[in-house]
Amino acid sequence: MGPLLLAEDALARLDERLRASPVRDAWMSRSHFNEACAARWIAGELVHLEDLVLNDAAMDIRTPTHELTRASAVLRAHRSIANHPPGWALSAAGLGALSGRNPSWLDDEASLSSQRVKDLVGVDVDGEAERAFADIDALLARSNRAIVKARLPAPGRVSGLADLGLYDSERDDDELLTHWRDRIDLERPPVLAALDAWEAWVDLAPLQTMPWLGPLLVAAVLRAGGKTAHHLACVSLGLRESRRAKGGSTLHGYAMAPPKVAMLNAIKAAAEAGLQEHDRLMLARTQLERFLTNRRSHSRLPGLVELVLAKPLVTPQLVAKELRITARGALDLIGALSPTLKEVTGRGRYRAWAVR
């Protein structure tokens, strides 16, 4: 009961703080990157935050590694859960989209109906033309199903790696994912439902190639239950912070603790880290707003302030792309916010800045 009450209290404090916070959107944007890096840290992979930010902006300065590619997948999944309505991630369509086993675009197949043709070209079509378009629709639907069937793994086989013995080829991940979903009871208090979801995820391990999806779904359960109505919890970040607090070893870390106790500690650690990040962003926003006084109405400086709050770090190229200005103008804007913005690379080229 002690860890449960502490986790409940920390979550409630953070959600209430973010409810009317002016930096809520910036906090949410940063949380996606922090959660992705933490998820890969737990898996034993080190992904630098600046590399993930640049990769997300399609501005890589080097060839993306496998670790960075997997971190980008976590980033997209966490962002997708946050952008969709509560409960979407726990639905059949949401789980299928997040796991890549049921692409969402299949539900929105393009249709060449007579009404759509009329809207596009402004003319009516006769019955014979409408039948022709219907045949084309059927052909496109069959083609899409064939493509998806070729891309998706067969039941019980996640990839060709199973043939090498790296994965259990006899497991049926789809069935295990359905069993996990059936064990979620959203009628229970949100934190207890999240604990049940985590314990079921640890017991069943439904997705062999995507174990990082479990903490994200735990956060989705909290959001669907209304406990985190104004944010999406960073559960992987909490697992990393709680493991660090216990010395970082497997013996004394969360791995040896009961799953529910470990998750309660992680939820509490994630909420406390979120509160600290929120307070830091509020202080940085107050400091940056001082530079906006006596500025012209068409100045791009307010846009840069919002950008540096939303991104863990910025580069001149990223600023130029987002604000639609030249690289020289981006450097001038960054210099206008000095010394609140700190150069974090120490290099003469490919430099990046972040809020102190």
Side-chain angles (χ1 to χ4, degrees), residues 101 152-177 205-209:
R101 312 179 81 82
L152 293 180
R157 187 173 296 275
V158 294
S159 69
L161 294 177
D163 295 330
L164 303 178
L166 299 181
Y167 298 103
D168 185 1
S169 60
E170 297 182 357
R171 283 168 38 112
D172 190 343
D173 286 354
D174 292 332
E175 183 179 357
L176 290 175
L177 196 60
L207 297 177
Q208 296 183 85
T209 57

Side-chain angles (χ1 to χ4, degrees), residues 190-239:
V191 177
L192 295 181
L195 294 180
D196 291 340
W198 176 245
E199 189 175 44
W201 186 271
V202 173
D203 292 340
L204 297 175
L207 297 177
Q208 296 183 85
T209 57
M210 302 176 67
W212 50 263
L213 190 58
L216 272 63
L217 293 177
V218 171
V221 172
L222 291 172
R223 185 165 177 254
K227 189 62 180 181
T228 56
H230 305 100
H231 77 286
L232 183 63
C234 298
V235 178
S236 294
L237 178 64
L239 288 171

Side-chain angles (χ1 to χ4, degrees), residues 290-333:
R290 297 181 302 174
F291 298 98
L292 302 182
T293 57
N294 301 326
R295 289 285 174 173
R296 296 187 299 270
S297 58
H298 60 277
S299 174
R300 301 295 181 91
L301 203 58
L304 177 59
V305 170
E306 296 297 328
L307 182 62
V308 298
L309 290 176
K311 300 289 186 180
L313 58 86
V314 296
T315 63
Q317 293 78 15
L318 180 60
V319 173
K321 178 182 178 181
E322 294 292 334
L323 301 184
R324 298 181 180 180
I325 58 177
T326 63
R328 181 67 259 177
L331 284 173
D332 293 339
L333 284 179

